[in-house]
Structures are given as structure tokens and as C-alpha cells.
Amino acid sequence: MGKNYYDVIISGAGPSGSLLGYLLSIKNINTLILEKEQFPRYKVCAGGIQWKAMKLFPYGIEEIIQRKIYGIYFSRKLKDIFHKRYSEPLMYTVDRAELDDFMARKAISSGCAINFNERIKDFELKENAVKIFTGNNTYFAKILVGADGANSIIFKKSNTREKVKKIIGYEAEVPSKNLNLNCFNGNNLMLDFGGIRKGYTWIFPKKSYLSIGDGGPVQNAVKIKEYLLWFLKNYESVLSRDDIFKKQSLPREPKIRYDIRAHLIPVRNGNAFLCFDRILTVGDAAGLCDGFTGEGLYNAMLSSHIASDSISDALKYSNFKFRDYFKKINNEIYKNIKNSIIISKIFFPSLLFYYKLIKNNDNLFNSCAKILRGEKTYSQVVNKLKLIRI
Ligand SMILES: Cc1cc2nc3c(=O)[nH]c(=O)nc-3n(C[C@H](O)[C@H](O)[C@H](O)COP(=O)(O)OP(=O)(O)OC[C@H]3O[C@@H](n4cnc5c(N)ncnc54)[C@H](O)[C@@H]3O)c2cc1C
């Protein structure tokens, strides 16, 4: 094979692309990732990794874990605050720039090639290969994988008709060194409801900063950003009140001194493009985000594991239709996404009712904790609540 010929070319070195590159390379599949940015690079993300996602890493990531989260502070527009704690870790936080850089290095160390600063601009399906165009080069691959995120060029070009539900997420990284907000040092996060329709606001603590953001339907983008600005102005004084958290310094003049950035969170529609002859998508490029929480890392990595098996079978049997990939993604991921949308339709219109229920009922909180950890699925909860017929 020539220099620019590969078994597999992956567009994007985010978590889904780098994990897939790693998994294919350890099977000796000749793989190249083309990534438009130079790493490490900033990525708009709260960096929360669900407990259940930890087992999807084929290597340890202890060294880049920033915090282990056991507890959650709940609030409604920064009022009516209560705290719940779970006996096991609910989630881990990471710095996304660091996670992505770490995963890209793991892919390289397993033998995967990565060309940074090289954006895929177009591709054509040929008889026995996919021809891929970047600014400066032309490549050929037996299989092209779109792991290029919410604005995937692979998805956009392949999905000509179907609309995909889009959530928008805003995020600011706030230095926490001088805040001394002990609530977060105690390995808690915060979730605030009621400030925006069909969405929520979060504070995820890292070692030296807080990721503060919110997200909801893209149609409400202006209001979602306005609420985040309000939240950023007010959270410090509220969280520093003695009656809420015992020992901490009072903030002086709360000022906004950081950038707010936005990014889309795509939620799959069952008829949208997923895979085709020689072309498949994983992670955000396939719209595999959770329709209730907006999280996408777990599904992104799960889709890469599934894709890795399907790709090695495709190469082995020279069958590039990827029907098994379509079936597995539907069964193992999309079913749960559909239920996440049902849960969001049940939860948000009766927010106050469920808020009080979680506040006063540890069993319900424990069920939510089990969903977060991945010990329970949305389907089990929907069935249990017997609300599925609503
Ligand atoms: C505000 C916000 C907060 C979030 N918080 C969480 C959270 O706490 N937990 C969680 O699980 N999920 C969270 N998510 C979702 C999560 O960020 C995504 O699901 C996750 O990044 C998906 O990974 P990916 O590898 O599929 O795509 P991405 O991480 O988007 O990676 C895509 C990569 O492809 C590259 N690329 C794009 N186009 C091209 C091209 N044409 N050629 C070459 N390279 C290209 C990009 O530079 C990028 O590196 C959040 C999202 C937002 C917006």
C-alpha cells in the first residue's frame, strides 16, 4: 500500500476517535486519525465522566482524574438548596483538554498515526475505497469513520434529510483558588433547576477551577445564556452563606472574568444517518448524546467499542455494509437515548414535584444515583415509575 492508503481513516481525535484508533491499532489494523486542531486544545465540556464509563477505558486514567464526586447540591434558581450523598462515587471529573490529549497519546502509543492540524474537507465513495480530501493531501481508506463531533462533516454529507434534535450547552471555567467554596472541595457537584426551560445548570469542580455551565433546547439559546450570566453573578454569594455551608470566606465583588463558550449537543433520531457502505459515525457525529442530561462521553466510547468489533469483522470478511453496527447501536445505545427523551418529557413539566420528591425521598435519589452510575437504565426507571403510558 502507498503512503496515503490506510485500512481505516478516522475524522477527529476526540474521545471517540482516539479510543477507536487505539482499539483498532492494537488489533494491527492500519489506522490514521486526521484531526483539525493541534493538541492539547480547549474543548467546551463539563468534563464529567460517569462511573459506568470508567470500564470503557482500556487503560487506567487515574493520573488525570481531577475529582471523585460523591454528593450533589440541588437548587432551584439558587434557592431551596439541599444536599444528597451517595455511598459510592457518582462521577469523576477531568479537564477535557487533558483527557483528549491523554487519549490521543494512548492511540499513538498503540501504533495509530495521528495527523494534527489536518481537517477533512470532503470525501468520495469509490468502488473499493473512500477517497478523502484535506487541504493539502488526498488519502484513501477501506473505511472512513466520522468521529468529528457535533458538526461532523461526515454526518452532514451523508445525512441528507433527517433533522437531529440539538441541545446547546454553555460553559465557563472559573478559577476556584480564592473562592474557598468548601462545598466543592468536599467532592460534590451542584445542579440547579428551574432557571431555564427543559434544561439545567451545573457546577462541576476540578482541582483549580469550577466548570460552570448550562444547557437546554437550542431554540432557547438566548435565554440559556442569559441565565448562565445571572447564575455566574450570583452563585458565589449564595454558596458562601453560612447557613448553607459552614466555613468559608465571603466573596468580595463577584465579577465575571472568564469567557463563556457554547457548543451543540446532538441527540439522535432513529432515522438519521449512522452508517453506510464503508462509512460510519461514532460519538457526537452519530448524535449519541443523552436527551435528558446532555452527557455524551459514555455513549461516544461505547460506540467506539462497538465500531471496533464491526470494523475488524468488515475487514476480515470484506463486507462493508455495517448492518451489525446499525443493529448494535440501536439496541445498546439508541434505545436508552429514546428513554432519556421520555424521562425528560416526564421530569421537566413536573419539575417542582420531582424536585421535592428527590429532596424528601432518599430512595428516589438513590435510584437517580444508580442511573448516573450506570447500575440502572432509563428503561428500568420508566417501567418502575409506570409512567411510560403518559
Ligand atoms: C457545555 C457542554 C458540556 C458537556 N459536559 C459533558 C459532561 O460533563 N459529560 C459528558 O459525558 N459529556 C458532556 N458533554 C458532551 C461531550 O462533550 C461530547 O459528547 C463528547 O465530546 C463527544 O466526543 P466525540 O469524540 O464524539 O466528539 P468531540 O469531542 O467533539 O471530538 C471531535 C473531534 O473532531 C475534530 N474535528 C471536527 N471536525 C473535523 C474535521 N472536519 N476534520 C478533522 N477533525 C475534525 C475536532 O477538532 C475534535 O477534536 C458536554 C457538551 C457540552 C457542549
Side-chain angles (χ1 to χ4, degrees):
M1 271 199 196
K3 188 166 132 287
N4 286 357
Y5 284 73
Y6 290 85
D7 288 327
V8 181
I9 289 184
I10 301 171
S11 169
S16 61
S18 286
L19 177 61
L20 182 58
Y22 176 94
L23 295 171
L24 294 175
S25 299
I26 54 171
K27 293 180 193 167
N28 287 323
I29 293 172
N30 186 22
T31 306
L32 167 70
I33 303 180
L34 294 166
E35 164 58 55
K36 70 177 168 66
E37 305 287 335
Q38 184 62 51
F39 277 23
R41 56 93 178 88
Y42 175 78
K43 166 79 178 80
V44 187
C45 180
I49 300 190
Q50 289 172 293
W51 175 83
K52 67 177 174 179
M54 293 303 277
K55 55 181 183 286
L56 297 179
F57 289 98
Y59 35 73
I61 65 156
E62 265 312 306
E63 67 197 86
I64 57 157
I65 297 282
Q66 300 250 330
R67 287 192 186 276
K68 286 187 186 170
I69 303 295
Y70 286 82
I72 303 179
Y73 286 96
F74 291 89
S75 68
R76 288 193 305 120
K77 296 197 206 167
L78 286 174
K79 292 199 174 107
D80 192 8
I81 298 176
F82 68 93
H83 178 254
K84 296 272 173 184
R85 194 174 170 82
Y86 196 64
S87 50
E88 307 283 335
L90 293 167
M91 184 186 268
Y92 300 82
T93 64
V94 292
D95 176 288
R96 265 302 297 271
E98 198 177 9
L99 173 78
D100 292 18
D101 195 44
F102 181 85
M103 293 183 76
R105 283 166 196 268
K106 287 287 177 191
I108 293 168
S109 69
S110 75
C112 179
I114 305 187
N115 289 0
F116 291 100
N117 271 327
E118 198 166 3
R119 177 196 288 269
I120 295 191
K121 297 211 162 143
D122 203 1
F123 59 91
E124 283 168 11
L125 187 59
K126 299 284 176 196
E127 203 177 321
N128 292 316
V130 189
K131 193 173 178 186
I132 294 144
F133 305 94
T134 68
N136 307 321
N137 292 307
T138 303
Y139 296 90
F140 291 88
K142 290 178 189 160
I143 295 163
L144 170 65
V145 182
D148 43 357
N151 298 314
S152 166
I153 183 170
I154 313 298
F155 178 82
K156 268 187 203 151
K157 217 187 147 183
S158 312
N159 181 72
T160 43
R161 282 203 212 143
E162 292 296 327
K163 273 200 158 180
V164 170
K165 181 176 146 76
K166 295 240 165 88
I167 297 173
I168 190 157
Y170 288 92
E171 173 92 3
E173 318 293 2
V174 183
S176 66
K177 257 186 236 138
N178 304 321
L179 298 184
N180 193 18
L181 292 171
N182 292 311
C183 48
F184 297 116
N185 292 339
N187 292 338
N188 299 294
L189 55 81
M190 180 164 197
L191 300 177
D192 176 81
F193 294 96
I196 48 181
R197 283 189 67 230
K198 298 184 190 169
Y200 65 100
T201 307
W202 62 80
I203 303 181
F204 282 13
K206 309 290 167 66
K207 277 182 186 152
S208 61
Y209 66 92
L210 305 173
S211 284
I212 305 186
D214 64 356
V218 74
Q219 309 86 276
N220 304 342
V222 174
K223 293 212 161 119
I224 296 170
K225 186 171 179 189
E226 273 171 11
Y227 184 71
L228 184 58
L229 286 165
W230 178 86
F231 188 90
L232 285 165
K233 269 194 196 130
N234 291 289
Y235 80 97
E236 274 187 64
S237 56
V238 172
L239 297 190
S240 300
R241 272 188 354 230
D242 272 353
D243 58 331
I244 300 172
F245 311 109
K246 300 286 173 297
K247 39 176 180 155
Q248 60 289 99
S249 60
L250 279 165
R252 322 275 172 270
E253 274 280 280
K255 281 198 191 96
I256 297 178
R257 53 191 177 285
Y258 21 77
D259 293 338
I260 295 181
R261 308 211 208 170
H263 199 73
L264 289 172
I265 300 177
V267 183
R268 185 170 167 70
N269 142 3
N271 297 322
F273 175 82
L274 182 68
C275 51
F276 188 62
D277 270 355
R278 295 185 185 274
I279 296 169
L280 62 152
T281 48
V282 291
D284 275 19
L288 300 182
C289 290
D290 184 301
F292 181 46
T293 64
E295 287 165 310
L297 287 169
Y298 173 77
N299 285 344
M301 292 200 295
L302 182 56
S303 65
S304 293
H305 277 275
I306 298 172
S308 150
D309 291 342
S310 296
I311 288 171
S312 45
D313 282 352
L315 292 168
K316 195 161 149 198
Y317 301 112
S318 289
N319 178 345
F320 299 96
K321 300 273 180 220
F322 292 113
R323 291 202 180 98
D324 61 325
Y325 181 69
F326 187 83
K327 244 191 226 161
K328 282 189 192 160
I329 294 290
N330 267 342
N331 288 336
E332 293 175 37
I333 300 181
Y334 181 58
K335 260 190 198 162
N336 223 23
I337 292 177
K338 276 204 288 197
N339 282 318
S340 72
I341 295 170
I342 293 177
I343 289 277
S344 102
K345 285 184 179 158
I346 293 170
F347 180 80
F348 286 116
S350 310
L351 178 68
L352 188 56
F353 171 77
Y354 286 108
Y355 191 84
K356 286 188 177 155
L357 211 58
I358 293 177
K359 184 176 179 180
N360 299 319
N361 183 329
D362 281 343
N363 284 341
L364 184 60
F365 172 74
N366 289 338
S367 284
C368 296
K370 286 192 170 112
I371 296 178
L372 256 183
R373 277 171 58 80
E375 292 165 326
K376 258 189 183 173
T377 62
Y378 285 128
S379 335
Q380 287 166 315
V381 176
V382 167
N383 291 339
K384 195 168 174 193
L385 288 172
K386 301 225 184 305
L387 285 169
I388 197 142
R389 282 183 213 97
I390 282 180

